[in-house]
Coordinates of all heavy atoms in Angstrom, one line a residue:
M18 N 14.3 -4.4 -23.3 CA 14.7 -4.5 -22.0 C 15.0 -5.9 -21.6 O 15.9 -6.2 -20.9 CB 13.7 -3.8 -21.1 CG 14.1 -3.8 -19.6 SD 15.4 -2.6 -19.3 CE 15.2 -2.3 -17.7
T19 N 14.1 -6.8 -22.0 CA 14.3 -8.2 -21.7 C 15.6 -8.8 -22.2 O 16.3 -9.5 -21.5 CB 13.1 -9.1 -22.3 OG1 11.9 -8.6 -21.8 CG2 13.2 -10.5 -22.0
K20 N 16.0 -8.4 -23.4 CA 17.3 -8.8 -23.9 C 18.4 -8.4 -23.1 O 19.4 -9.1 -22.8 CB 17.4 -8.2 -25.4 CG 18.6 -8.7 -26.1 CD 18.5 -10.1 -26.6 CE 19.6 -10.4 -27.5 NZ 19.7 -11.8 -27.8
Q21 N 18.4 -7.1 -22.6 CA 19.4 -6.6 -21.7 C 19.5 -7.4 -20.4 O 20.6 -7.7 -19.9 CB 19.2 -5.1 -21.4 CG 19.4 -4.2 -22.5 CD 19.1 -2.8 -22.2 OE1 18.1 -2.6 -21.5 NE2 19.8 -1.9 -22.8
I22 N 18.3 -7.8 -19.8 CA 18.3 -8.5 -18.6 C 18.9 -9.9 -18.8 O 19.7 -10.4 -18.0 CB 16.9 -8.6 -18.1 CG1 16.4 -7.2 -17.6 CG2 16.8 -9.7 -16.9 CD1 14.9 -7.2 -17.3
E23 N 18.5 -10.5 -20.0 CA 19.1 -11.9 -20.3 C 20.6 -11.8 -20.5 O 21.3 -12.7 -20.0 CB 18.4 -12.4 -21.5 CG 16.9 -12.8 -21.3 CD 16.2 -13.1 -22.6 OE1 16.8 -13.1 -23.7 OE2 15.0 -13.5 -22.5
Q24 N 21.1 -10.8 -21.1 CA 22.5 -10.6 -21.3 C 23.2 -10.4 -20.0 O 24.3 -11.0 -19.7 CB 22.8 -9.5 -22.3 CG 22.4 -9.8 -23.7 CD 22.6 -8.5 -24.6 OE1 22.5 -7.4 -24.1 NE2 22.7 -8.8 -25.9
A25 N 22.6 -9.6 -19.1 CA 23.2 -9.4 -17.8 C 23.3 -10.7 -17.0 O 24.2 -10.9 -16.3 CB 22.5 -8.3 -17.1
F26 N 22.2 -11.4 -17.1 CA 22.1 -12.7 -16.3 C 23.2 -13.7 -16.9 O 23.9 -14.3 -16.1 CB 20.7 -13.3 -16.4 CG 20.6 -14.6 -15.7 CD1 20.8 -14.6 -14.3 CD2 20.2 -15.8 -16.3 CE1 20.6 -15.8 -13.6 CE2 20.1 -17.0 -15.6 CZ 20.3 -17.0 -14.2
E27 N 23.4 -13.7 -18.2 CA 24.4 -14.6 -18.7 C 25.8 -14.2 -18.3 O 26.6 -15.0 -17.9 CB 24.3 -14.7 -20.2 CG 23.1 -15.4 -20.8 CD 23.0 -16.8 -20.3 OE1 24.0 -17.5 -20.2 OE2 21.9 -17.2 -19.9
L28 N 26.0 -12.9 -18.2 CA 27.3 -12.4 -17.8 C 27.5 -12.7 -16.3 O 28.6 -13.2 -15.9 CB 27.4 -10.9 -18.0 CG 28.7 -10.2 -17.5 CD1 29.9 -10.8 -18.2 CD2 28.6 -8.7 -17.7
A29 N 26.5 -12.5 -15.5 CA 26.6 -12.9 -14.1 C 26.8 -14.4 -13.9 O 27.7 -14.8 -13.0 CB 25.3 -12.5 -13.3
K30 N 26.1 -15.2 -14.6 CA 26.4 -16.7 -14.5 C 27.8 -17.0 -14.8 O 28.4 -17.8 -14.2 CB 25.4 -17.4 -15.5 CG 24.0 -17.5 -15.0 CD 23.1 -18.5 -15.7 CE 23.3 -18.7 -17.1 NZ 22.4 -19.6 -17.7
Q31 N 28.4 -16.4 -15.8 CA 29.8 -16.6 -16.2 C 30.7 -16.2 -15.1 O 31.7 -16.9 -14.8 CB 30.1 -15.9 -17.5 CG 31.5 -16.2 -18.0 CD 31.8 -17.7 -18.1 OE1 31.1 -18.4 -18.8 NE2 32.9 -18.2 -17.5
R32 N 30.4 -15.0 -14.5 CA 31.3 -14.6 -13.5 C 31.2 -15.5 -12.2 O 32.3 -15.7 -11.6 CB 31.0 -13.1 -13.1 CG 31.3 -12.2 -14.2 CD 31.6 -10.8 -13.8 NE 32.0 -10.0 -14.9 CZ 31.9 -8.7 -14.9 NH1 31.3 -8.1 -13.9 NH2 32.3 -8.0 -15.9
Y33 N 30.1 -16.0 -11.9 CA 29.9 -16.9 -10.8 C 30.6 -18.2 -11.2 O 31.3 -18.8 -10.3 CB 28.5 -17.1 -10.4 CG 27.9 -16.1 -9.5 CD1 27.0 -15.1 -10.0 CD2 28.3 -16.0 -8.2 CE1 26.5 -14.2 -9.1 CE2 27.8 -15.0 -7.3 CZ 26.9 -14.1 -7.8 OH 26.5 -13.1 -6.9
A34 N 30.5 -18.7 -12.4 CA 31.2 -19.9 -12.8 C 32.7 -19.8 -12.7 O 33.3 -20.7 -12.3 CB 30.8 -20.2 -14.3
D35 N 33.2 -18.6 -12.9 CA 34.6 -18.3 -12.8 C 35.1 -18.6 -11.4 O 36.3 -18.9 -11.2 CB 35.0 -16.9 -13.2 CG 34.8 -16.7 -14.7 OD1 34.7 -17.6 -15.5 OD2 34.8 -15.5 -15.1
I36 N 34.2 -18.5 -10.4 CA 34.7 -18.7 -9.0 C 34.1 -20.1 -8.5 O 34.0 -20.3 -7.3 CB 34.3 -17.6 -8.1 CG1 32.8 -17.3 -8.0 CG2 35.1 -16.3 -8.4 CD1 32.4 -16.3 -6.9
G37 N 33.6 -20.9 -9.4 CA 33.1 -22.2 -9.1 C 31.7 -22.4 -8.7 O 31.3 -23.4 -8.1
V38 N 30.8 -21.4 -9.0 CA 29.4 -21.5 -8.6 C 28.6 -21.8 -9.8 O 28.7 -21.2 -10.9 CB 28.9 -20.1 -8.0 CG1 27.4 -20.2 -7.7 CG2 29.7 -19.8 -6.8
D39 N 27.8 -22.9 -9.7 CA 26.9 -23.3 -10.8 C 25.5 -22.6 -10.5 O 24.8 -23.1 -9.6 CB 26.7 -24.8 -10.8 CG 25.8 -25.3 -11.9 OD1 25.0 -24.5 -12.4 OD2 25.8 -26.5 -12.2
V40 N 25.3 -21.5 -11.2 CA 24.1 -20.7 -10.9 C 22.8 -21.5 -11.1 O 21.9 -21.5 -10.3 CB 24.1 -19.4 -11.7 CG1 22.8 -18.7 -11.7 CG2 25.2 -18.5 -11.3
E41 N 22.7 -22.3 -12.2 CA 21.5 -23.0 -12.5 C 21.3 -24.1 -11.4 O 20.1 -24.2 -11.0 CB 21.6 -23.7 -13.9 CG 21.7 -22.8 -15.0 CD 20.5 -21.9 -15.3 OE1 19.4 -22.3 -14.8 OE2 20.6 -20.9 -15.9
Q42 N 22.3 -24.7 -10.9 CA 22.1 -25.7 -9.8 C 21.7 -25.0 -8.6 O 20.8 -25.5 -7.8 CB 23.4 -26.5 -9.6 CG 23.3 -27.7 -8.7 CD 23.3 -27.4 -7.3 OE1 23.9 -26.4 -6.8 NE2 22.7 -28.2 -6.5
A43 N 22.3 -23.8 -8.3 CA 21.9 -23.1 -7.1 C 20.4 -22.7 -7.2 O 19.7 -22.7 -6.2 CB 22.8 -21.8 -7.0
I44 N 20.0 -22.2 -8.3 CA 18.6 -21.8 -8.5 C 17.6 -23.1 -8.3 O 16.6 -23.0 -7.6 CB 18.3 -21.2 -9.9 CG1 19.0 -19.8 -9.9 CG2 16.8 -21.1 -10.2 CD1 19.0 -19.1 -11.2
R45 N 18.0 -24.2 -8.8 CA 17.2 -25.4 -8.6 C 17.2 -25.8 -7.1 O 16.1 -26.1 -6.7 CB 17.8 -26.6 -9.4 CG 17.5 -26.6 -10.9 CD 17.9 -27.9 -11.6 NE 19.3 -28.2 -11.4 CZ 20.3 -27.8 -12.2 NH1 20.0 -27.0 -13.2 NH2 21.5 -28.1 -12.0
Q46 N 18.3 -25.6 -6.4 CA 18.3 -25.9 -5.0 C 17.4 -25.0 -4.3 O 16.6 -25.4 -3.4 CB 19.7 -25.9 -4.5 CG 19.8 -26.3 -3.0 CD 21.3 -26.4 -2.6 OE1 22.2 -26.2 -3.3 NE2 21.4 -26.7 -1.3
L47 N 17.5 -23.7 -4.6 CA 16.6 -22.7 -3.9 C 15.2 -22.9 -4.2 O 14.3 -22.6 -3.4 CB 17.1 -21.3 -4.3 CG 18.4 -20.8 -3.7 CD1 18.8 -19.5 -4.3 CD2 18.3 -20.7 -2.2
D48 N 14.9 -23.4 -5.4 CA 13.5 -23.6 -5.9 C 12.8 -24.7 -5.0 O 11.6 -24.7 -5.0 CB 13.5 -23.9 -7.4 CG 12.1 -23.8 -7.9 OD1 11.3 -22.9 -7.5 OD2 11.8 -24.6 -8.8
S49 N 13.6 -25.5 -4.4 CA 13.0 -26.6 -3.6 C 12.8 -26.2 -2.2 O 12.2 -27.0 -1.4 CB 14.0 -27.8 -3.6 OG 15.1 -27.6 -2.9
I50 N 13.1 -25.0 -1.8 CA 12.9 -24.5 -0.4 C 11.7 -23.6 -0.3 O 11.7 -22.6 -0.9 CB 14.2 -23.8 0.1 CG1 15.4 -24.6 0.0 CG2 14.0 -23.2 1.5 CD1 16.7 -23.9 0.2
P51 N 10.7 -24.1 0.5 CA 9.5 -23.2 0.6 C 9.8 -22.0 1.4 O 10.5 -22.0 2.4 CB 8.5 -24.1 1.3 CG 9.3 -25.2 1.9 CD 10.6 -25.3 1.2
V52 N 9.3 -20.9 1.0 CA 9.5 -19.6 1.6 C 8.1 -18.9 1.9 O 7.3 -18.9 1.0 CB 10.4 -18.6 0.8 CG1 10.5 -17.3 1.4 CG2 11.7 -19.3 0.5
S53 N 7.9 -18.4 3.1 CA 6.7 -17.7 3.4 C 7.0 -16.2 3.4 O 7.9 -15.8 4.2 CB 6.2 -18.2 4.8 OG 5.1 -17.5 5.1
M54 N 6.3 -15.5 2.6 CA 6.5 -14.0 2.6 C 5.3 -13.4 3.3 O 4.2 -13.6 2.8 CB 6.6 -13.5 1.2 CG 7.8 -14.1 0.4 SD 9.4 -13.6 1.0 CE 9.4 -11.9 0.5
H55 N 5.5 -12.7 4.3 CA 4.5 -12.0 5.0 C 4.2 -10.7 4.4 O 5.1 -9.9 4.1 CB 4.8 -11.9 6.5 CG 5.0 -13.2 7.2 ND1 3.9 -14.0 7.6 CD2 6.1 -14.0 7.4 CE1 4.4 -15.1 8.1 NE2 5.7 -15.1 8.0
C56 N 3.0 -10.3 4.3 CA 2.6 -9.0 3.7 C 2.1 -8.1 4.8 O 1.0 -8.1 5.3 CB 1.5 -9.2 2.7 SG 1.0 -7.7 1.9
W57 N 3.1 -7.3 5.3 CA 2.7 -6.4 6.4 C 2.3 -5.0 6.0 O 1.8 -4.2 6.7 CB 4.0 -6.3 7.3 CG 5.2 -6.0 6.6 CD1 6.2 -6.9 6.2 CD2 5.7 -4.7 6.1 NE1 7.2 -6.2 5.6 CE2 6.9 -4.9 5.5 CE3 5.2 -3.4 6.2 CZ2 7.6 -3.9 4.9 CZ3 5.9 -2.4 5.6 CH2 7.1 -2.6 5.0
Q58 N 2.4 -4.8 4.7 CA 2.0 -3.4 4.2 C 0.5 -3.2 4.5 O 0.1 -2.1 4.8 CB 2.3 -3.3 2.7 CG 3.7 -3.3 2.4 CD 4.3 -4.7 2.1 OE1 3.6 -5.7 2.4 NE2 5.4 -4.7 1.4
G59 N -0.3 -4.2 4.3 CA -1.7 -4.1 4.6 C -2.0 -3.7 6.0 O -2.9 -2.9 6.3
D60 N -1.2 -4.3 6.9 CA -1.3 -3.9 8.3 C -1.1 -2.4 8.5 O -1.8 -1.8 9.3 CB -0.3 -4.7 9.2 CG -0.5 -6.2 9.1 OD1 -1.5 -6.6 8.5 OD2 0.4 -6.9 9.6
D61 N -0.1 -1.9 7.9 CA 0.3 -0.5 8.0 C -0.8 0.4 7.5 O -1.1 1.5 8.1 CB 1.6 -0.2 7.3 CG 2.8 -0.8 7.9 OD1 2.6 -1.3 9.1 OD2 3.8 -0.8 7.3
V62 N -1.5 0.0 6.5 CA -2.5 0.9 5.9 C -3.8 0.8 6.6 O -4.5 1.8 7.0 CB -2.8 0.5 4.4 CG1 -3.9 1.3 3.8 CG2 -1.5 0.8 3.6
R63 N -4.3 -0.4 7.0 CA -5.6 -0.6 7.6 C -5.5 -1.0 9.1 O -6.3 -0.6 9.8 CB -6.3 -1.7 6.8 CG -6.5 -1.3 5.4 CD -7.3 -2.3 4.7 NE -8.7 -2.2 5.2 CZ -9.7 -2.8 4.6 NH1 -9.6 -3.6 3.6 NH2 -10.9 -2.7 5.1
G64 N -4.5 -1.7 9.4 CA -4.2 -2.1 10.8 C -5.1 -3.3 11.3 O -6.2 -3.4 11.0
F65 N -4.4 -4.2 12.0 CA -5.1 -5.3 12.6 C -5.5 -5.0 14.0 O -6.4 -5.5 14.6 CB -4.2 -6.6 12.6 CG -4.2 -7.3 11.3 CD1 -2.9 -7.6 10.8 CD2 -5.3 -7.6 10.6 CE1 -2.9 -8.2 9.6 CE2 -5.2 -8.2 9.4 CZ -4.0 -8.5 8.9
E66 N -4.8 -4.0 14.7 CA -5.1 -3.7 16.0 C -6.4 -2.9 16.2 O -7.0 -3.0 17.2 CB -3.9 -2.9 16.6 CG -2.7 -3.8 16.8 CD -1.4 -3.0 16.6 OE1 -1.4 -1.8 16.4 OE2 -0.3 -3.7 16.7
N67 N -6.8 -2.2 15.1 CA -8.0 -1.5 15.2 C -8.8 -2.0 14.0 O -8.7 -1.4 12.9 CB -7.7 0.0 15.1 CG -9.0 0.8 15.1 OD1 -10.1 0.3 15.2 ND2 -8.9 2.1 14.9
P68 N -9.7 -3.0 14.2 CA -10.5 -3.5 13.0 C -11.4 -2.5 12.3 O -11.8 -2.7 11.2 CB -11.4 -4.6 13.7 CG -10.8 -4.8 15.0 CD -10.0 -3.6 15.4
Q69 N -11.7 -1.4 13.0 CA -12.5 -0.3 12.4 C -11.7 0.6 11.5 O -12.3 1.5 10.9 CB -13.2 0.4 13.5 CG -14.0 -0.4 14.5 CD -15.0 -1.4 13.8 OE1 -15.7 -1.0 12.8 NE2 -15.0 -2.6 14.3
A70 N -10.4 0.5 11.5 CA -9.6 1.4 10.7 C -9.8 1.3 9.2 O -10.2 0.2 8.8 CB -8.1 1.1 11.0
R71 N -9.7 2.4 8.6 CA -10.0 2.4 7.1 C -8.8 2.8 6.4 O -8.1 3.6 6.6 CB -11.1 3.3 6.8 CG -12.4 2.7 7.3 CD -13.6 3.6 7.0 NE -14.7 3.2 7.9 CZ -15.8 2.8 7.4 NH1 -16.0 2.6 6.1 NH2 -16.8 2.5 8.2

């Protein structure tokens, strides 16, 4: 499966390169931007509004 993913990524990089996008440079740029991901699933299961919820 890993080999297929790598091949698909290489194909995607080539297709983006065909329209002038440097995928590796874009990934480096995105890697420098901090992102905060909030985990709201726990709220749905246990709830913050009712601390006694289980």
Side-chain angles (χ1 to χ4, degrees):
M18 184 70 156
T19 300
K20 183 76 171 168
Q21 290 174 323
I22 293 169
E23 290 171 358
Q24 289 173 336
F26 182 60
E27 290 303 318
L28 178 59
K30 285 194 323 186
Q31 181 57 52
R32 292 208 174 153
Y33 277 108
D35 290 346
I36 60 170
V38 176
D39 180 343
V40 171
E41 296 294 339
Q42 193 278 333
I44 290 173
R45 283 191 300 276
Q46 186 174 357
L47 289 172
D48 194 35
S49 70
I50 301 170
V52 175
S53 175
M54 299 292 287
H55 299 279
C56 182
W57 49 263
Q58 294 90 344
D60 300 351
D61 290 351
V62 173
R63 300 183 72 169
F65 282 129
E66 291 149 3
N67 179 2
Q69 307 308 317
R71 293 178 193 246

